[in-house]
Amino acid sequence: HYYVCFAGKLVNAWRRSGLLPRAKSRGWRFPAEPEAMREKMVQIIGHLGDDRPDRALVVLQDVLLDLHEPEEATKADAPRLTGFRKLAGRIRAKPAEAVDEAVEARRLGLSPVHFRRLFAEHTGLPPHRFLMQARAAHAEFLLRTTELPLKVVAERCGFYDEYHFSRLYRRAYQVPPGRYRMQARLLG
């Protein structure tokens, strides 16, 4: 058996982006291709033993993508699965854009309620929370890499206003955006 435990800033970013979904009720996942997964785990261990954590990280991200796949995807589900993947990718790429759940549900041939349930199954979060986490992650990137005023960061990330942005950012990161930016500068 191979087990992987995660902790740290990168893991938190993966969780916020949806790459590393919250554990299901049983707390573990069975890979669709166990032998391929075993080989990847051996690669990770080998890279860590060779003092190559950068290469181990690349393989680990591949493992996460494999585990992120739904467990029981059938050929009939493939178009919907592709639709959910495209939507999640679109949200991550352009988090400031609004997402109309009713339109997306119709596009996939689902009722809005069924759409929300399946989206959460495929991504680990309901659509609105996924969108808010994508916006918070994009805001975190802008705070860390730019000198834009908080009001502009809020607008570029799709928040209603600076107050709404600050409140949701604090909820996601347990620190106000201004303080996060100051700490990020100090840490380099």
Side-chain angles (χ1 to χ4, degrees), residues 80 114 145 187-188:
R80 284 192 185 134
H114 196 53
T145 61
L187 295 174

Side-chain angles (χ1 to χ4, degrees), residues 102-124:
V103 170
E104 298 299 335
R106 273 194 305 277
R107 185 176 294 149
L108 295 172
L110 301 167
S111 72
V113 171
H114 196 53
F115 167 79
R116 283 189 290 277
R117 186 181 67 73
L118 289 178
F119 186 91
E121 245 179 59
H122 289 296
T123 64

Side-chain angles (χ1 to χ4, degrees), residues 39-52 56:
E39 289 175 18
K40 289 177 184 176
M41 295 301 289
V42 169
Q43 277 184 321
I44 290 170
I45 293 166
H47 290 312
L48 290 173
D50 294 339
D51 242 0
R52 294 301 312 259

